[in-house]
Amino acid sequence: MEQVNRDILAAARKVIAVHINYPSRAAQRGRTPAQPSYFLKPSSSLSLSGSAVERPAGCELLGYEGEIALVIGKAARRVGMEDAWSHVAAVTASNDLGVYDLRYADKGSNLRSKGGDGFTPVGPALIPADSVDPANLRIRTWHNGELVQDDTTEDLLFPFARLVADLSQLLTLEEGDIILTGTPAGASVAKPGDVLEVEVSTADGRLATGRLVTSVKEGTTAFADFGAAPKVDDLQREEAYGSREAAGLAAEEAAAVGPALSPELKAKLESVATATLSSQLRKRGLNNVSIDGLQATRPDQRVVGLARTLRYVPNREDLFKTHGGGFNAQKRAIDSVNEGEILVMEARGEKGTGTVGDILALRAQVRGAAAIITDGGVRDYSAVAGLDMPTYFANPHPAVLGRRHIPWDTDITIACGGATVQPGDIIVADSDGILVIPPAIAEDLVEDCIQQEKEETFIFQMVQEGNSVDGLYPMNAEWQGRYKEWEADHAID
């Protein structure tokens, strides 16, 4: 394999970097982009393995990010995804260095924060692009000998071919240009005296770049007073280190949780029958709040939780290429569902393929999801049915998602089983059915349900004693008076 040398660096007219591309990094940042976004780094930021990088004088937060770099081998302009990889000559290791102290001054361009001399070391060796599967590479980073980043390209948000094709729609990628493809979780802060190492390899270790070594030294020349000066706060420290804990900051107090589904409200909703809830919803004019036509893997269970939503659109082959692979909307939804939440899927009632299978259903259960609801099919039915977490679905089906669907977007208003569902709606599901409750009315609704069930307990007892339902169900004035007496006798102190 060819070693990266100064001639190769000199050939790079531009360096383009991707903001977020690894699911682990997206989870750490708390945001998952729908499309890739980029920034430029000057070619003067390039350096070779073994070089030292300067943390500018007055700066505190020199961040490092191990990345896989693509080296363009032939010009690319308006190329398609199927042809894009042929325009890449090689892959190598890179370290996307930058100072968080100057992020505030960049307005998103990252020029000052990430454009410093030596802030983009690459190397030491090039792996020919035609000898590797771009979805089967491994990236590792060491900080003072400790492995801090270790991830693969298997589930990138935006596969490498998509990056090349996307960029080429607007600008010409020229021979020698370098694309930095994003960093996984684990990036942090280096200090003077530290040594950073990054290596790219095939997942099986057959080919490797060797370790890209960069040492950190302290800058001695202060910034002039006619430009932006370094400035940091706790937010930048948290971003640079990856968490408040890693930055040595005290944990923030949790934000107050709204009353949409407090433990008390949840317990009350669990205590009343679905039929009672439906009756009270109807009294409020809400007749179209049941998700219909589904069966349950665990009809013995009753679940109450807040809705998270996922929408599938009908499959279109060209769109499936851009939205169906990698860390798509389906996987993002599964991997972000939280404890006690219910993932509701809009599949348009399409029964001719699966919308979730055993692995993703298990992932939702591990994350603490209360249930999955889909008006489409389920794959790997026996395994899904064997989980403790219930799944509500239209029917089993062996086909994969791409036969009928494209996972399109998450946490939007959707339609499922004939009902409209919004993120944050309260879902109550059991063997009697599935209801969608607007959170704004839930408190009053459940109190009326509790009162209705008390009345129905009294009516049931009266019928059991031989009384006619005439005037009793519903209760007339006479029976209302007798109920009040019964209620007083059965009051709980």
Side-chain angles (χ1 to χ4, degrees):
M1 291 185 294
E2 184 179 4
Q3 294 293 112
V4 177
N5 57 40
R6 296 196 179 279
D7 290 339
I8 293 174
L9 299 189
R13 298 190 181 185
K14 51 187 173 288
V15 180
I16 303 170
V18 179
H19 281 108
I20 294 179
N21 199 15
Y22 285 80
S24 60
R25 182 68 162 177
Q28 186 181 47
R29 289 296 200 212
R31 59 183 185 274
T32 301
Q35 300 292 341
S37 60
Y38 312 93
F39 59 93
L40 284 167
K41 299 189 77 170
S43 57
S44 56
S45 70
L46 292 166
S47 62
L48 297 170
S49 182
S51 301
V53 66
E54 179 182 287
R55 186 182 74 176
C59 288
E60 173 188 333
L61 303 174
L62 175 66
Y64 61 83
E65 300 175 4
E67 306 205 10
I68 297 172
L70 312 182
V71 181
I72 298 299
K74 61 178 179 180
R77 178 71 166 116
R78 296 196 176 101
V79 302
M81 287 179 58
E82 66 282 353
D83 182 50
W85 188 247
S86 68
H87 291 262
V88 179
V91 298
T92 192
S94 182
N95 198 336
D96 183 16
L97 297 162
V99 281
Y100 283 73
D101 311 61
L102 293 173
R103 286 178 84 193
Y104 79 95
D106 273 333
K107 305 299 183 184
S109 74
N110 286 340
L111 178 61
R112 280 170 285 196
S113 61
K114 291 203 168 198
D117 288 352
F119 276 25
T120 317
V122 293
L126 297 168
I127 301 176
D130 59 8
S131 66
V132 300
D133 175 358
N136 199 28
L137 295 173
R138 184 184 187 188
I139 175 76
R140 288 180 293 174
T141 304
W142 293 264
H143 184 183
N144 292 332
E146 178 184 356
L147 182 65
V148 292
Q149 291 184 290
D150 189 354
D151 212 330
T152 72
T153 56
E154 181 180 6
D155 287 322
L156 291 177
L157 301 178
F158 313 111
F160 294 161
R162 180 173 174 182
L163 300 178
V164 174
D166 183 40
L167 286 165
S168 77
Q169 302 311 296
L170 184 63
L171 54 90
T172 299
L173 295 171
E174 301 165 297
E175 181 179 356
D177 285 352
I178 293 174
I179 302 173
L180 307 184
T181 58
T183 194
S188 189
V189 173
K191 299 178 180 179
D194 289 353
V195 176
L196 303 168
E197 300 169 280
V198 183
E199 183 175 70
V200 173
S201 64
T202 54
D204 60 8
R206 177 176 54 89
L207 297 172
T209 61
R211 295 195 185 187
L212 167 68
V213 180
T214 306
S215 58
V216 181
K217 64 180 182 180
E218 182 70 270
T220 57
T221 303
F223 282 89
D225 58 7
F226 46 75
K231 182 172 63 175
V232 297
D233 55 26
D234 284 351
L235 174 60
Q236 294 305 319
R237 292 184 178 96
E238 180 181 352
E239 291 263 304
Y241 281 94
S243 69
R244 294 184 64 84
E245 181 181 10
L249 302 171
E252 289 183 323
E253 292 186 9
V257 177
L261 192 57
S262 65
E264 294 78 16
L265 176 57
K266 184 173 184 288
K268 289 179 180 179
L269 288 167
E270 289 171 338
S271 73
V272 296
T274 304
T276 310
L277 287 165
S278 180
S279 174
Q280 287 295 330
L281 285 164
R282 183 174 175 80
K283 287 182 179 180
R284 288 164 169 77
L286 294 169
N287 296 303
N288 299 294
V289 288
S290 64
I291 297 175
D292 297 331
L294 306 186
Q295 54 186 306
T297 59
R298 297 296 304 272
D300 56 310
Q301 288 194 24
R302 178 179 175 87
V303 294
V304 177
L306 294 180
R308 298 285 299 276
T309 61
L310 166 65
R311 180 168 71 109
Y312 297 112
V313 298
N315 189 25
R316 204 179 89 184
E317 288 75 8
D318 61 323
L319 294 176
F320 194 87
K321 289 181 180 179
T322 59
H323 288 76
F327 198 60
N328 58 31
Q330 179 200 41
K331 293 179 181 177
R332 295 199 301 271
I334 292 288
D335 222 43
S336 64
V337 67
N338 296 313
E339 183 81 26
E341 293 178 338
I342 297 174
L343 180 57
V344 186
M345 301 180 179
E346 174 187 334
R348 311 175 313 284
E350 170 57 65
K351 300 178 180 180
T353 190
T355 56
V356 69
D358 58 346
I359 293 176
L360 293 185
L362 175 60
R363 176 60 176 159
Q365 176 176 289
V366 169
R367 288 193 58 83
I372 291 175
I373 300 172
T374 173
D375 60 358
V378 164
R379 294 183 72 220
D380 312 306
Y381 170 74
S382 294
V384 174
L387 297 176
D388 293 332
M389 177 196 70
T391 295
Y392 299 80
F393 63 103
N395 59 273
H397 200 284
V400 296
L401 184 71
R403 182 169 185 258
R404 301 288 191 200
H405 302 298
I406 307 171
W408 198 254
D409 44 16
T410 63
D411 290 325
I412 60 166
T413 300
I414 64 168
C416 181
T420 297
V421 183
Q422 295 190 301
D425 280 345
I426 298 173
I427 305 294
V428 178
D430 61 13
S431 57
D432 277 348
I434 307 168
L435 293 176
V436 182
I437 300 174
I441 68 169
E443 291 279 2
D444 289 341
L445 179 79
V446 76
E447 293 300 333
D448 288 348
C449 286
I450 292 170
Q451 181 60 34
Q452 178 181 327
E453 291 196 346
K454 285 173 63 178
E455 293 177 1
E456 290 177 351
T457 298
F458 167 75
I459 293 169
F460 187 87
Q461 183 177 325
M462 294 302 103
V463 171
Q464 195 174 43
E465 292 176 1
N467 292 284
S468 169
V469 295
D470 184 28
L472 172 60
Y473 187 51
M475 291 186 287
N476 58 23
E478 179 185 351
W479 277 110
Q480 285 282 356
R482 293 178 64 177
Y483 167 72
K484 294 295 184 184
E485 294 175 3
W486 177 92
E487 184 182 29
D489 289 342
H490 291 79
I492 299 174
D493 294 330

